[in-house]
Amino acid sequence: MVPADSVGKRSRGKVVGGLIAVVALVGAGGFAITKIVAGNDGGAASPTEVGTRFMDALGAEDALGVVDLLLPGERETMRQPLIDLVDNLKRLEIVDSTARLDKVGGLDIVFDDVQVDPKPTNVDDISNIRIRATGTASIDGAAVPIGDLLIDEAFGGDRPDLDAEPEEGDIDWTMATVERDGRWYLSAFYSLAETARAEGDDIPDSPIVARGADDPEGAVQAIFDAVDDLDLEAMIAALNPNEAEALQRYAPMFIDEAQGSLDDVDVAIAFSDIEYSVTGDGDRRTVAIDAFNMTAGVEGDEVTVVSKDGCVVFTMADTTFNSCESGDLAGTALTDLGLDNEDMQALIGSVQEAFDDLEPVGVTVQQVDGKWFVSPIGTYADVFLSVLEALDKGELTDIIDAARQVGDSLSAGAIFGLGDDTESGDVGDIDLGDIDLGDIDTDTSGLEKCYGEFEYAAFSECVVAGMQDGSIDPSFVVAYDRFPECGAGEAYWSGEVYGMSDEEFTAFATATAPCFQQYVADGTISQFELPYELSTPDCLEGLNWYTNNTDEDYSDRVFECATG
């Protein structure tokens, strides 16, 4: 689920929300097919029951119970891609063979004082729910399913200690529930839409009606036609309603204004000679775009793009670019940057070899109620999975090792294109004697080590110690962590500052800003290294600008005041 609001009191309080989100997400991939076959429609009898069952399922670490509450179209969208994702992660040994979609290994979650309050909207079939509770999360590191590839490549061959003692945090979530055929379901997409809906605006009673095509090619052609006509409504109507139902429902709120703005732009786009090929079976297909011509005009300037037989020809004014006649663009760019060394060439070779067997990808379309629609989320998922499926563990290891070698070789010599012959100390017009290589050292390993701490106090101690012994460059440390004596760091670490009330935020800024401003005054840091509440708190007008930044006029006033 995607909570509209979540607040954590302490540094590890955020872990509760994050790990719960993992349970819900992974559970979506593990929805039992037997439940569907058995005709279990899931959901609950009321919005309040949805929230109660959601928390009960999370508290029992019952991911299948969580997924059983999702809106059926969303459940369908998430399920198979996540199953395939986990299978590929196992195959690549990023996770081990014990990883399961119906149980997140090593995680224990407990909720107390759960309160679920319905928040009706202006329509009968959509109701928000506010869920408040105290959550406690702990991790049994030995049961976390880390794969051998991660252990070898990320942790130097030794399994890391991931144990985490129970940590408590407050939860305050707002989610949307949707009624369908007498049952109520949780909805990630409606939750996002409700978060974006301005207070006081009504949800439309009538959505944009989804309009599918009779065949897979027609679904993609409908998108091209909508782009040709610059018709936003037609474009939204052509999207898979399993993914875009919430967008189609809420679009009447903004479609007229958005279309009007688009109509005012002097743009013309036309597609022609489009050729398709379709692969797959059942109600999910992939449509490859084998060829097309596109002409686009913007304020009198015209651009043409012709794609055919694997080549792309781009023409604008007197300039023509043909991808099949351009040679090795990547190699030329690396040469121009002085990065065409053996290590970089080896990395490029490893990547090319690994993806030699990458299957062609296209646009994913799905049949819903007998009509075909374009699936944006499905397309992204299929492209990502195609990339994973083209890899094996050996190829991925080769890429990681080659990338590490490139990182090690990007010394000052590589940056300046010195090559291997630097005995004279001079290269062209550059006198190495005048260059302090210490000034361009960007080693941040000391700081990265500190980010492995789970408590802010331990993190802060690590940072201070690193700055004192020289292993951490202070310029890489944000001001509120660089100066712990100012007492602001933990509020940012925990995320508390981003959810404070206006009064709490103003009090926080007023109390802590003077400490940082003294470092600005003596030249230790610049004003622009500080967030506005620490550099110019008076510009925020007594408001928490993190929670009020949707007001464009207010944001503009803050920016002009703080930078003027």
Side-chain angles (χ1 to χ4, degrees), residues 486-488 492 505-521 525 530-538 540:
C486 293
Y492 291 94
F505 186 80
T506 301
F508 166 79
T510 302
T512 56
C515 179
F516 294 97
Q517 290 167 350
Q518 71 179 353
Y519 289 110
V520 174
I525 58 174
L530 297 170
Y532 294 153
E533 64 270 18
L534 301 182
S535 64
T536 54
D538 292 343
L540 304 184

Side-chain angles (χ1 to χ4, degrees), residues 6-19:
S6 66
V7 179
K9 281 188 175 179
R10 304 192 311 176
S11 60
R12 286 297 305 283
K14 295 175 71 176
V15 173
V16 177
L19 292 179

Side-chain angles (χ1 to χ4, degrees), residues 403-482:
R404 183 180 290 118
Q405 189 64 37
V406 168
D408 292 342
S409 71
L410 287 181
S411 60
I415 293 172
F416 289 113
L418 304 185
D420 297 324
D421 184 11
T422 59
E423 293 182 3
S424 68
D426 294 311
V427 179
D429 295 328
I430 300 175
D431 183 354
L432 295 186
D434 294 334
I435 300 175
D436 181 0
L437 298 183
D439 290 341
I440 58 174
D441 182 7
T442 58
D443 181 9
T444 61
S445 58
L447 187 57
E448 291 168 358
K449 176 183 176 182
C450 296
Y451 280 117
E453 299 292 347
F454 289 109
E455 293 289 347
Y456 181 73
F459 167 77
S460 182
E461 290 174 5
C462 177
V463 170
V464 171
M467 291 190 293
Q468 291 175 345
D469 65 24
S471 62
I472 295 178
D473 184 340
S475 65
F476 292 133
V477 182
V478 293
Y480 42 78
D481 291 330
R482 184 175 174 182

